[in-house]
Amino acid sequence: MKICVTGGMGYIGSHTVIELIKEGHEPIIVDNLVNSNPEVLNRIQKITNVKPKFYQIDVRDEEKLDDCFKQEGFDAVIHFAGLKSVGESVKKPDLYFDNNIGSSKTLLKVMKKYNVKNIIFSSSATVYGVPKHVPLVETDPVGQAANPYGQTKIEIEKILINEAKQDEKMNIVLLRYFNPVGAHESGLIGEDPNDIPNNLMPYITQVAVGRLEQLTIFGNDYPTKDGTCIRDYIHVVDLALGHLAALKAIKENWGLKIYNLGTGKGTSVLELVNAFNQANNLNIKYQYGARRAGDVVVNYANADKALNELNWKATHNIVDMCRDAYLWQKQNPQGYKK
Ligand code: NAD
Ligand code: UDP
């Protein structure tokens, strides 16, 4: 299939492009590079021997996107493009609404014009808000967004759900990611945050290579087994393969589907740090600090629906995630900037 991959130069998108190529698909990347580096294309080529076609386009730019769709004739779209920093979204909510919701609307409009009926969207577990129970199932209510980033995910889901109601020929898959971490096993591509990382795993890997002094664990007095928060970390390659499984499952008049992509296992911050040390024979320096405002205490997925309907499940464990994340950072201490 010929697939438009918006945001395909980014962390999850680039890993998915590799798996698409491996499966014999033709991914075509649409990305404005606002949070990615052109070097990604060379790395994809190194891994797959294929340099995917790349359009440097802002998805909000309807004219350019229209040209791209006219030229390519896509079978499906995987829509990763979006801004994802929670902290930045609080400071610049309008930018997040415009970029994330605006690009999704433009994309849908152009898809309609060119009769492209299949779309997979990168949603997030953040749409559940503060969980009333765990594990989270897809039928759980969408909650109150904790920040503008989360609000954009809820809004885009609504737009897509509405679209599926209006056009029964549309096949729309909302994938709710839990916590993607790790990197391709080659260590050639991985997560490359612009500033000091907000997320746990890139923070740990940057401490590991000496870019950062020590990790601060935000809170050790939560009502959990070791007092630190619990998340469902999922290897980015498993996540990428979830998109391929969804693509394979799409058939005519399939309509709207929602899946959690997680492992179904909760891991505490302290457990992740210990696994990282074990996987890489290191001793990451850390201290305990105050709780981070707005943190959910425990969050993990029930991923049975994806298993039953897509025949997908995560196969990498926490140690695999820590090993691959470190290999990437060790080989690329400054990320793609070298
Ligand atoms: P990323 O920032 O690495 O990749 C996103 C890509 O989209 C970047 O290459 C960026 O340049 C591009 N982009 C942003 N706005 C654009 C626009 N208007 N036009 C064209 N390109 C644009 O992020 P990621 O971690 O790979 O996340 C991919 C998607 O998955 C995002 O939608 C994100 O919100 C979602 N998601 C990520 C996580 C996570 O923890 N990484 C969790 C849940 C959901
Ligand atoms: N965390 C931490 N120190 C950091 C970054 C994160 O202790 O420098 C904790 C954070 O409080 C949360 C967990 O690690 O409990 C995962 O945080 P992340 O931001 O990666 O994911 P999210 O909270 O968005 O699920």
Side-chain angles (χ1 to χ4, degrees):
M1 277 204 264
K2 199 174 203 181
I3 298 151
C4 172
V5 185
T6 77
M9 299 292 275
Y11 172 47
I12 305 169
S14 57
H15 286 83
T16 306
V17 164
I18 287 170
E19 299 307 321
L20 288 167
I21 294 171
K22 272 169 64 182
E23 271 292 303
H25 294 294
E26 187 187 353
I28 291 169
I29 298 174
V30 172
D31 199 304
N32 64 357
L33 298 179
V34 67
N35 196 37
S36 47
N37 190 299
E39 173 61 15
V40 169
L41 278 186
N42 300 326
R43 304 293 177 94
I44 293 174
Q45 187 177 23
K46 258 194 185 158
I47 295 168
T48 62
N49 288 320
V50 174
K51 193 165 193 167
K53 201 162 171 186
F54 167 48
Y55 287 82
Q56 188 171 347
I57 290 177
D58 190 310
V59 180
R60 288 169 295 180
D61 187 333
E62 189 177 332
E63 214 177 298
K64 288 197 179 133
L65 194 67
D66 187 297
D67 273 352
C68 166
F69 269 65
K70 195 188 299 169
Q71 275 186 41
E72 298 298 343
F74 294 118
D75 300 301
V77 174
I78 307 183
H79 182 34
F80 293 103
L83 298 172
K84 63 164 180 177
S85 161
V86 168
E88 188 186 45
S89 83
V90 173
K91 286 185 201 124
K92 301 176 185 171
D94 290 346
L95 171 69
Y96 272 66
F97 295 136
D98 184 49
N99 190 77
N100 294 2
I101 301 172
S103 61
S104 301
K105 283 184 175 166
T106 307
L107 180 63
L108 260 185
K109 191 170 171 195
V110 174
M111 282 177 68
K112 273 198 240 183
K113 180 167 170 195
Y114 290 97
N115 210 29
V116 181
K117 296 293 187 189
N118 307 312
I119 180 168
I120 299 173
F121 171 63
S122 301
S123 191
S124 165
T126 192
V127 301
Y128 293 114
V130 179
K132 290 203 174 58
H133 64 98
V134 279
L136 285 155
V137 278
E138 291 84 349
T139 45
D140 283 333
V142 165
Q144 200 68 17
N147 49 65
Y149 166 72
Q151 231 170 311
T152 68
K153 291 294 173 198
I154 292 173
E155 279 308 310
I156 298 165
E157 281 204 355
K158 273 193 204 151
I159 290 168
L160 290 169
I161 291 167
N162 210 27
E163 186 58 38
K165 280 189 193 140
Q166 283 176 32
D167 179 354
E168 59 188 27
K169 294 235 171 319
M170 280 297 282
N171 300 308
I172 297 177
V173 187
L174 311 180
L175 297 180
R176 293 178 178 161
Y177 310 159
F178 279 67
N179 287 58
V181 296
H184 190 261
E185 63 176 7
S186 63
L188 285 167
I189 61 168
E191 191 169 8
D192 184 18
N194 267 334
D195 303 311
I196 295 179
N198 297 307
N199 298 112
L200 180 60
M201 184 65 99
Y203 205 105
I204 294 175
T205 60
Q206 292 197 15
V207 172
V209 297
R211 261 174 84 173
L212 294 167
E213 168 75 27
Q214 68 171 333
L215 172 72
T216 299
I217 295 181
F218 301 140
N220 65 337
D221 57 353
Y222 285 105
T224 59
K225 50 192 160 186
D226 59 23
T228 65
C229 290
I230 291 176
R231 296 287 182 275
D232 186 342
Y233 298 97
I234 171 170
H235 196 294
V236 65
V237 173
D238 280 329
L239 191 65
L241 290 171
H243 295 74
L244 271 84
L247 206 55
K248 205 167 159 188
I250 289 177
K251 45 189 167 298
E252 235 171 276
N253 299 318
W254 209 46
L256 176 96
K257 303 281 173 174
I258 303 178
Y259 299 102
N260 287 338
L261 294 185
T263 63
K265 286 192 196 78
T267 303
S268 75
V269 177
L270 209 51
E271 283 172 335
L272 190 76
V273 173
N274 290 335
F276 191 88
N277 287 337
Q278 183 203 328
N280 301 307
N281 204 15
L282 291 166
N283 205 353
I284 292 297
K285 197 173 163 198
Y286 68 84
Q287 62 177 2
Y288 291 117
R291 290 180 174 194
R292 181 172 71 178
D295 253 341
V296 163
V297 184
V298 181
N299 195 12
Y300 57 93
N302 175 323
D304 290 351
K305 192 177 174 201
L307 176 62
N308 295 335
E309 295 184 15
L310 304 179
N311 199 22
W312 171 91
K313 75 169 191 219
T315 61
H316 294 78
N317 63 28
I318 284 286
V319 171
D320 300 328
M321 301 177 210
C322 292
R323 181 198 58 225
D324 294 341
Y326 181 51
L327 179 68
W328 147 255
Q329 195 75 79
K330 199 167 50 169
Q331 289 181 182
N332 305 272
Q334 300 301 324
Y336 293 111
K337 290 157 216 86
K338 280 197 203 73

